PDB file of all heavy atoms in Angstrom:
ATOM      1  N   PHE U   9     -94.526 -28.453 -21.634  1.00 93.00           N
ATOM      2  CA  PHE U   9     -95.570 -29.005 -22.562  1.00 93.00           C
ATOM      3  C   PHE U   9     -96.996 -28.746 -21.972  1.00 93.00           C
ATOM      4  O   PHE U   9     -97.920 -28.676 -22.731  1.00 93.00           O
ATOM      5  CB  PHE U   9     -95.340 -30.460 -22.868  1.00 93.00           C
ATOM      6  CG  PHE U   9     -94.179 -30.745 -23.728  1.00 93.00           C
ATOM      7  CD1 PHE U   9     -93.150 -29.852 -23.966  1.00 93.00           C
ATOM      8  CD2 PHE U   9     -94.017 -32.045 -24.174  1.00 93.00           C
ATOM      9  CE1 PHE U   9     -92.051 -30.198 -24.798  1.00 93.00           C
ATOM     10  CE2 PHE U   9     -92.928 -32.361 -24.893  1.00 93.00           C
ATOM     11  CZ  PHE U   9     -91.888 -31.361 -25.169  1.00 93.00           C
ATOM     12  N   THR U  10     -97.105 -28.630 -20.685  1.00 95.00           N
ATOM     13  CA  THR U  10     -98.448 -28.512 -20.068  1.00 95.00           C
ATOM     14  C   THR U  10     -98.626 -27.207 -19.306  1.00 95.00           C
ATOM     15  O   THR U  10     -99.756 -26.881 -18.901  1.00 95.00           O
ATOM     16  CB  THR U  10     -98.756 -29.671 -19.222  1.00 95.00           C
ATOM     17  OG1 THR U  10     -97.767 -29.648 -18.128  1.00 95.00           O
ATOM     18  CG2 THR U  10     -98.707 -30.959 -19.849  1.00 95.00           C
ATOM     19  N   GLN U  11     -97.585 -26.395 -19.045  1.00 94.00           N
ATOM     20  CA  GLN U  11     -97.642 -25.141 -18.289  1.00 94.00           C
ATOM     21  C   GLN U  11     -97.120 -24.004 -19.197  1.00 94.00           C
ATOM     22  O   GLN U  11     -96.178 -24.166 -19.926  1.00 94.00           O
ATOM     23  CB  GLN U  11     -96.805 -25.315 -17.035  1.00 94.00           C
ATOM     24  CG  GLN U  11     -97.227 -26.348 -16.185  1.00 94.00           C
ATOM     25  CD  GLN U  11     -96.249 -26.641 -15.022  1.00 94.00           C
ATOM     26  OE1 GLN U  11     -95.139 -26.992 -15.215  1.00 94.00           O
ATOM     27  NE2 GLN U  11     -96.626 -26.223 -13.745  1.00 94.00           N
ATOM     28  N   GLU U  12     -97.932 -22.944 -19.090  1.00 94.00           N
ATOM     29  CA  GLU U  12     -97.645 -21.766 -19.882  1.00 94.00           C
ATOM     30  C   GLU U  12     -96.495 -20.941 -19.136  1.00 94.00           C
ATOM     31  O   GLU U  12     -96.509 -20.728 -17.964  1.00 94.00           O
ATOM     32  CB  GLU U  12     -98.835 -20.929 -20.058  1.00 94.00           C
ATOM     33  CG  GLU U  12     -98.738 -19.914 -21.181  1.00 94.00           C
ATOM     34  CD  GLU U  12    -100.136 -19.210 -21.493  1.00 94.00           C
ATOM     35  OE1 GLU U  12    -101.108 -19.962 -21.541  1.00 94.00           O
ATOM     36  OE2 GLU U  12    -100.136 -18.013 -21.625  1.00 94.00           O
ATOM     37  N   VAL U  13     -95.547 -20.520 -19.986  1.00 95.00           N
ATOM     38  CA  VAL U  13     -94.527 -19.706 -19.406  1.00 95.00           C
ATOM     39  C   VAL U  13     -95.163 -18.300 -19.115  1.00 95.00           C
ATOM     40  O   VAL U  13     -95.929 -17.712 -19.934  1.00 95.00           O
ATOM     41  CB  VAL U  13     -93.345 -19.369 -20.488  1.00 95.00           C
ATOM     42  CG1 VAL U  13     -92.266 -18.494 -19.911  1.00 95.00           C
ATOM     43  CG2 VAL U  13     -92.681 -20.715 -20.771  1.00 95.00           C
ATOM     44  N   PRO U  14     -94.965 -17.702 -17.959  1.00 95.00           N
ATOM     45  CA  PRO U  14     -95.490 -16.430 -17.503  1.00 95.00           C
ATOM     46  C   PRO U  14     -94.962 -15.367 -18.536  1.00 95.00           C
ATOM     47  O   PRO U  14     -93.879 -15.470 -19.121  1.00 95.00           O
ATOM     48  CB  PRO U  14     -94.885 -16.157 -16.092  1.00 95.00           C
ATOM     49  CG  PRO U  14     -94.516 -17.535 -15.592  1.00 95.00           C
ATOM     50  CD  PRO U  14     -94.092 -18.322 -16.776  1.00 95.00           C
ATOM     51  N   GLU U  15     -95.835 -14.405 -18.747  1.00 95.00           N
ATOM     52  CA  GLU U  15     -95.480 -13.300 -19.669  1.00 95.00           C
ATOM     53  C   GLU U  15     -94.163 -12.601 -19.248  1.00 95.00           C
ATOM     54  O   GLU U  15     -94.013 -12.245 -18.004  1.00 95.00           O
ATOM     55  CB  GLU U  15     -96.712 -12.268 -19.726  1.00 95.00           C
ATOM     56  CG  GLU U  15     -96.381 -11.157 -20.720  1.00 95.00           C
ATOM     57  CD  GLU U  15     -97.577 -10.268 -20.892  1.00 95.00           C
ATOM     58  OE1 GLU U  15     -98.706 -10.656 -20.666  1.00 95.00           O
ATOM     59  OE2 GLU U  15     -97.294  -9.048 -21.318  1.00 95.00           O
ATOM     60  N   GLY U  16     -93.314 -12.515 -20.167  1.00 97.00           N
ATOM     61  CA  GLY U  16     -91.956 -11.970 -19.837  1.00 97.00           C
ATOM     62  C   GLY U  16     -91.020 -12.941 -19.251  1.00 97.00           C
ATOM     63  O   GLY U  16     -89.838 -12.618 -18.904  1.00 97.00           O
ATOM     64  N   GLY U  17     -91.603 -14.106 -18.820  1.00 97.00           N
ATOM     65  CA  GLY U  17     -90.758 -15.096 -18.102  1.00 97.00           C
ATOM     66  C   GLY U  17     -89.990 -16.014 -19.025  1.00 97.00           C
ATOM     67  O   GLY U  17     -89.936 -15.821 -20.266  1.00 97.00           O
ATOM     68  N   LYS U  18     -89.447 -17.164 -18.491  1.00 97.00           N
ATOM     69  CA  LYS U  18     -88.731 -18.082 -19.382  1.00 97.00           C
ATOM     70  C   LYS U  18     -88.707 -19.424 -18.726  1.00 97.00           C
ATOM     71  O   LYS U  18     -88.988 -19.598 -17.510  1.00 97.00           O
ATOM     72  CB  LYS U  18     -87.298 -17.621 -19.580  1.00 97.00           C
ATOM     73  CG  LYS U  18     -86.412 -17.590 -18.418  1.00 97.00           C
ATOM     74  CD  LYS U  18     -84.963 -17.207 -18.685  1.00 97.00           C
ATOM     75  CE  LYS U  18     -84.258 -17.104 -17.542  1.00 97.00           C
ATOM     76  NZ  LYS U  18     -82.756 -16.712 -17.770  1.00 97.00           N
ATOM     77  N   PHE U  19     -88.550 -20.428 -19.583  1.00 97.00           N
ATOM     78  CA  PHE U  19     -88.500 -21.862 -19.181  1.00 97.00           C
ATOM     79  C   PHE U  19     -86.933 -22.224 -19.465  1.00 97.00           C
ATOM     80  O   PHE U  19     -86.388 -21.876 -20.409  1.00 97.00           O
ATOM     81  CB  PHE U  19     -89.303 -22.763 -20.031  1.00 97.00           C
ATOM     82  CG  PHE U  19     -89.065 -24.170 -19.841  1.00 97.00           C
ATOM     83  CD1 PHE U  19     -89.526 -24.904 -18.781  1.00 97.00           C
ATOM     84  CD2 PHE U  19     -88.253 -24.852 -20.737  1.00 97.00           C
ATOM     85  CE1 PHE U  19     -89.192 -26.160 -18.570  1.00 97.00           C
ATOM     86  CE2 PHE U  19     -87.908 -26.249 -20.550  1.00 97.00           C
ATOM     87  CZ  PHE U  19     -88.427 -26.956 -19.448  1.00 97.00           C
ATOM     88  N   VAL U  20     -86.434 -22.909 -18.345  1.00 97.00           N
ATOM     89  CA  VAL U  20     -85.023 -23.252 -18.473  1.00 97.00           C
ATOM     90  C   VAL U  20     -84.998 -24.868 -18.292  1.00 97.00           C
ATOM     91  O   VAL U  20     -85.356 -25.293 -17.181  1.00 97.00           O
ATOM     92  CB  VAL U  20     -84.018 -22.598 -17.438  1.00 97.00           C
ATOM     93  CG1 VAL U  20     -82.613 -23.225 -17.518  1.00 97.00           C
ATOM     94  CG2 VAL U  20     -84.021 -21.127 -17.580  1.00 97.00           C
ATOM     95  N   GLY U  21     -84.672 -25.577 -19.296  1.00 95.00           N
ATOM     96  CA  GLY U  21     -84.675 -26.988 -19.296  1.00 95.00           C
ATOM     97  C   GLY U  21     -83.673 -27.546 -18.313  1.00 95.00           C
ATOM     98  O   GLY U  21     -82.484 -26.985 -18.095  1.00 95.00           O
ATOM     99  N   ALA U  22     -84.066 -28.639 -17.661  1.00 94.00           N
ATOM    100  CA  ALA U  22     -83.183 -29.326 -16.653  1.00 94.00           C
ATOM    101  C   ALA U  22     -81.911 -29.768 -17.472  1.00 94.00           C
ATOM    102  O   ALA U  22     -82.011 -30.330 -18.576  1.00 94.00           O
ATOM    103  CB  ALA U  22     -83.854 -30.528 -16.139  1.00 94.00           C
ATOM    104  N   PRO U  23     -80.717 -29.656 -16.894  1.00 94.00           N
ATOM    105  CA  PRO U  23     -79.523 -30.180 -17.522  1.00 94.00           C
ATOM    106  C   PRO U  23     -79.492 -31.710 -17.622  1.00 94.00           C
ATOM    107  O   PRO U  23     -79.962 -32.364 -16.631  1.00 94.00           O
ATOM    108  CB  PRO U  23     -78.409 -29.604 -16.579  1.00 94.00           C
ATOM    109  CG  PRO U  23     -78.972 -29.406 -15.291  1.00 94.00           C
ATOM    110  CD  PRO U  23     -80.421 -29.088 -15.540  1.00 94.00           C
ATOM    111  N   MET U  24     -79.172 -32.124 -18.757  1.00 95.00           N
ATOM    112  CA  MET U  24     -78.943 -33.653 -18.933  1.00 95.00           C
ATOM    113  C   MET U  24     -77.639 -33.953 -19.678  1.00 95.00           C
ATOM    114  O   MET U  24     -77.559 -34.344 -20.767  1.00 95.00           O
ATOM    115  CB  MET U  24     -80.134 -34.072 -19.881  1.00 95.00           C
ATOM    116  CG  MET U  24     -81.450 -33.774 -19.259  1.00 95.00           C
ATOM    117  SD  MET U  24     -82.918 -34.335 -20.146  1.00 95.00           S
ATOM    118  CE  MET U  24     -82.536 -34.448 -21.799  1.00 95.00           C
ATOM    119  N   ARG U  25     -76.586 -33.402 -19.069  1.00 97.00           N
ATOM    120  CA  ARG U  25     -75.248 -33.646 -19.534  1.00 97.00           C
ATOM    121  C   ARG U  25     -74.850 -34.970 -19.912  1.00 97.00           C
ATOM    122  O   ARG U  25     -75.311 -35.882 -19.326  1.00 97.00           O
ATOM    123  CB  ARG U  25     -74.203 -32.975 -18.581  1.00 97.00           C
ATOM    124  CG  ARG U  25     -74.442 -31.409 -18.529  1.00 97.00           C
ATOM    125  CD  ARG U  25     -73.281 -30.755 -17.816  1.00 97.00           C
ATOM    126  NE  ARG U  25     -71.937 -31.144 -18.052  1.00 97.00           N
ATOM    127  CZ  ARG U  25     -71.151 -30.835 -19.167  1.00 97.00           C
ATOM    128  NH1 ARG U  25     -71.659 -30.052 -20.037  1.00 97.00           N
ATOM    129  NH2 ARG U  25     -69.852 -31.184 -19.237  1.00 97.00           N
ATOM    130  N   TYR U  26     -74.120 -35.139 -21.049  1.00 98.00           N
ATOM    131  CA  TYR U  26     -73.715 -36.428 -21.571  1.00 98.00           C
ATOM    132  C   TYR U  26     -74.989 -37.197 -21.965  1.00 98.00           C
ATOM    133  O   TYR U  26     -75.082 -38.388 -21.579  1.00 98.00           O
ATOM    134  CB  TYR U  26     -72.732 -37.104 -20.687  1.00 98.00           C
ATOM    135  CG  TYR U  26     -71.486 -36.437 -20.589  1.00 98.00           C
ATOM    136  CD1 TYR U  26     -71.161 -35.475 -19.666  1.00 98.00           C
ATOM    137  CD2 TYR U  26     -70.477 -36.728 -21.530  1.00 98.00           C
ATOM    138  CE1 TYR U  26     -69.940 -34.789 -19.554  1.00 98.00           C
ATOM    139  CE2 TYR U  26     -69.210 -36.028 -21.579  1.00 98.00           C
ATOM    140  CZ  TYR U  26     -69.020 -35.084 -20.589  1.00 98.00           C
ATOM    141  OH  TYR U  26     -67.776 -34.385 -20.596  1.00 98.00           O
ATOM    142  N   GLY U  27     -75.893 -36.609 -22.470  1.00 98.00           N
ATOM    143  CA  GLY U  27     -77.226 -37.157 -22.943  1.00 98.00           C
ATOM    144  C   GLY U  27     -77.138 -38.037 -24.181  1.00 98.00           C
ATOM    145  O   GLY U  27     -76.435 -37.801 -25.129  1.00 98.00           O
ATOM    146  N   MET U  28     -77.681 -39.217 -23.980  1.00 98.00           N
ATOM    147  CA  MET U  28     -77.755 -40.244 -25.036  1.00 98.00           C
ATOM    148  C   MET U  28     -79.299 -40.526 -25.237  1.00 98.00           C
ATOM    149  O   MET U  28     -79.867 -41.188 -24.261  1.00 98.00           O
ATOM    150  CB  MET U  28     -77.073 -41.409 -24.690  1.00 98.00           C
ATOM    151  CG  MET U  28     -75.547 -41.261 -24.620  1.00 98.00           C
ATOM    152  SD  MET U  28     -74.516 -42.652 -24.100  1.00 98.00           S
ATOM    153  CE  MET U  28     -74.869 -42.696 -22.320  1.00 98.00           C
ATOM    154  N   ARG U  29     -79.859 -40.070 -26.328  1.00 97.00           N
ATOM    155  CA  ARG U  29     -81.353 -40.293 -26.470  1.00 97.00           C
ATOM    156  C   ARG U  29     -81.531 -41.672 -26.939  1.00 97.00           C
ATOM    157  O   ARG U  29     -80.933 -42.195 -27.791  1.00 97.00           O
ATOM    158  CB  ARG U  29     -81.709 -39.318 -27.679  1.00 97.00           C
ATOM    159  CG  ARG U  29     -83.209 -39.361 -27.931  1.00 97.00           C
ATOM    160  CD  ARG U  29     -83.606 -38.484 -29.091  1.00 97.00           C
ATOM    161  NE  ARG U  29     -83.486 -37.113 -28.741  1.00 97.00           N
ATOM    162  CZ  ARG U  29     -84.399 -36.411 -28.108  1.00 97.00           C
ATOM    163  NH1 ARG U  29     -85.536 -37.025 -27.734  1.00 97.00           N
ATOM    164  NH2 ARG U  29     -84.267 -35.094 -27.945  1.00 97.00           N
ATOM    165  N   LEU U  30     -82.676 -42.293 -26.277  1.00 97.00           N
ATOM    166  CA  LEU U  30     -83.000 -43.673 -26.656  1.00 97.00           C
ATOM    167  C   LEU U  30     -84.351 -43.610 -27.411  1.00 97.00           C
ATOM    168  O   LEU U  30     -84.572 -44.699 -28.146  1.00 97.00           O
ATOM    169  CB  LEU U  30     -83.169 -44.486 -25.355  1.00 97.00           C
ATOM    170  CG  LEU U  30     -81.912 -44.568 -24.441  1.00 97.00           C
ATOM    171  CD1 LEU U  30     -82.300 -45.398 -23.207  1.00 97.00           C
ATOM    172  CD2 LEU U  30     -80.741 -45.115 -25.173  1.00 97.00           C
ATOM    173  N   THR U  31     -85.164 -42.662 -27.261  1.00 96.00           N
ATOM    174  CA  THR U  31     -86.331 -42.648 -28.021  1.00 96.00           C
ATOM    175  C   THR U  31     -86.568 -41.151 -28.345  1.00 96.00           C
ATOM    176  O   THR U  31     -86.156 -40.201 -27.808  1.00 96.00           O
ATOM    177  CB  THR U  31     -87.670 -43.043 -27.182  1.00 96.00           C
ATOM    178  OG1 THR U  31     -87.866 -42.034 -26.127  1.00 96.00           O
ATOM    179  CG2 THR U  31     -87.473 -44.328 -26.377  1.00 96.00           C
ATOM    180  N   TRP U  32     -87.374 -40.960 -29.448  1.00 93.00           N
ATOM    181  CA  TRP U  32     -87.668 -39.621 -29.985  1.00 93.00           C
ATOM    182  C   TRP U  32     -88.752 -39.003 -29.135  1.00 93.00           C
ATOM    183  O   TRP U  32     -89.005 -37.842 -29.278  1.00 93.00           O
ATOM    184  CB  TRP U  32     -88.115 -39.623 -31.407  1.00 93.00           C
ATOM    185  CG  TRP U  32     -86.854 -39.922 -32.312  1.00 93.00           C
ATOM    186  CD1 TRP U  32     -86.807 -41.060 -33.043  1.00 93.00           C
ATOM    187  CD2 TRP U  32     -85.723 -39.204 -32.441  1.00 93.00           C
ATOM    188  NE1 TRP U  32     -85.528 -40.987 -33.712  1.00 93.00           N
ATOM    189  CE2 TRP U  32     -84.830 -39.891 -33.299  1.00 93.00           C
ATOM    190  CE3 TRP U  32     -85.174 -38.002 -31.846  1.00 93.00           C
ATOM    191  CZ2 TRP U  32     -83.617 -39.389 -33.670  1.00 93.00           C
ATOM    192  CZ3 TRP U  32     -83.957 -37.582 -32.204  1.00 93.00           C
ATOM    193  CH2 TRP U  32     -83.096 -38.283 -33.100  1.00 93.00           C
ATOM    194  N   ASP U  33     -89.359 -39.638 -28.172  1.00 88.00           N
ATOM    195  CA  ASP U  33     -90.377 -39.080 -27.265  1.00 88.00           C
ATOM    196  C   ASP U  33     -89.806 -38.757 -25.893  1.00 88.00           C
ATOM    197  O   ASP U  33     -90.536 -38.555 -24.865  1.00 88.00           O
ATOM    198  CB  ASP U  33     -91.625 -39.798 -27.237  1.00 88.00           C
ATOM    199  CG  ASP U  33     -91.474 -41.251 -26.722  1.00 88.00           C
ATOM    200  OD1 ASP U  33     -90.366 -41.660 -26.519  1.00 88.00           O
ATOM    201  OD2 ASP U  33     -92.536 -41.857 -26.391  1.00 88.00           O
ATOM    202  N   GLY U  34     -88.477 -38.639 -25.740  1.00 87.00           N
ATOM    203  CA  GLY U  34     -87.937 -38.076 -24.555  1.00 87.00           C
ATOM    204  C   GLY U  34     -87.225 -38.933 -23.586  1.00 87.00           C
ATOM    205  O   GLY U  34     -86.808 -38.518 -22.527  1.00 87.00           O
ATOM    206  N   ILE U  35     -86.956 -40.107 -23.935  1.00 94.00           N
ATOM    207  CA  ILE U  35     -86.263 -41.016 -22.953  1.00 94.00           C
ATOM    208  C   ILE U  35     -84.751 -41.111 -23.329  1.00 94.00           C
ATOM    209  O   ILE U  35     -84.454 -41.450 -24.509  1.00 94.00           O
ATOM    210  CB  ILE U  35     -86.930 -42.415 -22.933  1.00 94.00           C
ATOM    211  CG1 ILE U  35     -88.446 -42.283 -22.382  1.00 94.00           C
ATOM    212  CG2 ILE U  35     -86.114 -43.381 -21.940  1.00 94.00           C
ATOM    213  CD1 ILE U  35     -89.159 -43.583 -22.424  1.00 94.00           C
ATOM    214  N   GLY U  36     -83.898 -40.960 -22.342  1.00 96.00           N
ATOM    215  CA  GLY U  36     -82.537 -41.014 -22.597  1.00 96.00           C
ATOM    216  C   GLY U  36     -81.759 -41.372 -21.382  1.00 96.00           C
ATOM    217  O   GLY U  36     -82.431 -41.668 -20.272  1.00 96.00           O
ATOM    218  N   HIS U  37     -80.392 -41.373 -21.426  1.00 98.00           N
ATOM    219  CA  HIS U  37     -79.453 -41.770 -20.378  1.00 98.00           C
ATOM    220  C   HIS U  37     -78.536 -40.618 -20.266  1.00 98.00           C
ATOM    221  O   HIS U  37     -77.944 -40.141 -21.254  1.00 98.00           O
ATOM    222  CB  HIS U  37     -78.828 -42.997 -20.601  1.00 98.00           C
ATOM    223  CG  HIS U  37     -77.995 -43.616 -19.573  1.00 98.00           C
ATOM    224  ND1 HIS U  37     -78.230 -43.284 -18.267  1.00 98.00           N
ATOM    225  CD2 HIS U  37     -76.923 -44.474 -19.560  1.00 98.00           C
ATOM    226  CE1 HIS U  37     -77.322 -44.004 -17.487  1.00 98.00           C
ATOM    227  NE2 HIS U  37     -76.561 -44.674 -18.347  1.00 98.00           N
ATOM    228  N   HIS U  38     -78.347 -40.068 -19.011  1.00 98.00           N
ATOM    229  CA  HIS U  38     -77.628 -38.830 -18.842  1.00 98.00           C
ATOM    230  C   HIS U  38     -77.226 -38.661 -17.370  1.00 98.00           C
ATOM    231  O   HIS U  38     -77.734 -39.354 -16.486  1.00 98.00           O
ATOM    232  CB  HIS U  38     -78.369 -37.598 -19.318  1.00 98.00           C
ATOM    233  CG  HIS U  38     -79.717 -37.373 -18.679  1.00 98.00           C
ATOM    234  ND1 HIS U  38     -79.869 -36.846 -17.408  1.00 98.00           N
ATOM    235  CD2 HIS U  38     -80.958 -37.639 -19.113  1.00 98.00           C
ATOM    236  CE1 HIS U  38     -81.086 -36.822 -17.098  1.00 98.00           C
ATOM    237  NE2 HIS U  38     -81.796 -37.365 -18.084  1.00 98.00           N
ATOM    238  N   ILE U  39     -76.382 -37.661 -17.103  1.00 97.00           N
ATOM    239  CA  ILE U  39     -75.965 -37.368 -15.737  1.00 97.00           C
ATOM    240  C   ILE U  39     -77.284 -36.743 -15.020  1.00 97.00           C
ATOM    241  O   ILE U  39     -78.029 -36.041 -15.604  1.00 97.00           O
ATOM    242  CB  ILE U  39     -74.876 -36.259 -15.707  1.00 97.00           C
ATOM    243  CG1 ILE U  39     -73.485 -36.809 -16.170  1.00 97.00           C
ATOM    244  CG2 ILE U  39     -74.731 -35.733 -14.279  1.00 97.00           C
ATOM    245  CD1 ILE U  39     -72.487 -35.890 -16.277  1.00 97.00           C
ATOM    246  N   GLY U  40     -77.389 -37.274 -13.774  1.00 95.00           N
ATOM    247  CA  GLY U  40     -78.559 -36.770 -12.994  1.00 95.00           C
ATOM    248  C   GLY U  40     -78.450 -37.240 -11.585  1.00 95.00           C
ATOM    249  O   GLY U  40     -77.749 -38.200 -11.290  1.00 95.00           O
ATOM    250  N   PRO U  41     -79.232 -36.660 -10.704  1.00 94.00           N
ATOM    251  CA  PRO U  41     -79.202 -36.984  -9.161  1.00 94.00           C
ATOM    252  C   PRO U  41     -79.578 -38.491  -9.037  1.00 94.00           C
ATOM    253  O   PRO U  41     -80.674 -38.858  -9.640  1.00 94.00           O
ATOM    254  CB  PRO U  41     -80.110 -36.062  -8.541  1.00 94.00           C
ATOM    255  CG  PRO U  41     -80.928 -35.360  -9.669  1.00 94.00           C
ATOM    256  CD  PRO U  41     -80.142 -35.504 -10.917  1.00 94.00           C
TER     257      PRO U  41
END
């Protein structure tokens, strides 16, 4: 949301397996370190 993807590059979202969304602005419960 705040950094531009380099030209020709890509953004890969962090895995959030078994995600359960609690808010529409990005808070949830999921597998993570």
Side-chain angles (χ1 to χ4, degrees):
F9 292 6
T10 61
Q11 296 169 295
E12 196 170 317
V13 176
E15 188 172 331
K18 66 179 178 179
F19 169 80
V20 177
M24 301 184 333
R25 291 190 40 79
Y26 292 91
M28 295 177 281
R29 181 183 291 277
L30 305 182
T31 71
W32 290 117
D33 60 352
I35 298 172
H37 188 25
H38 56 80
I39 290 175

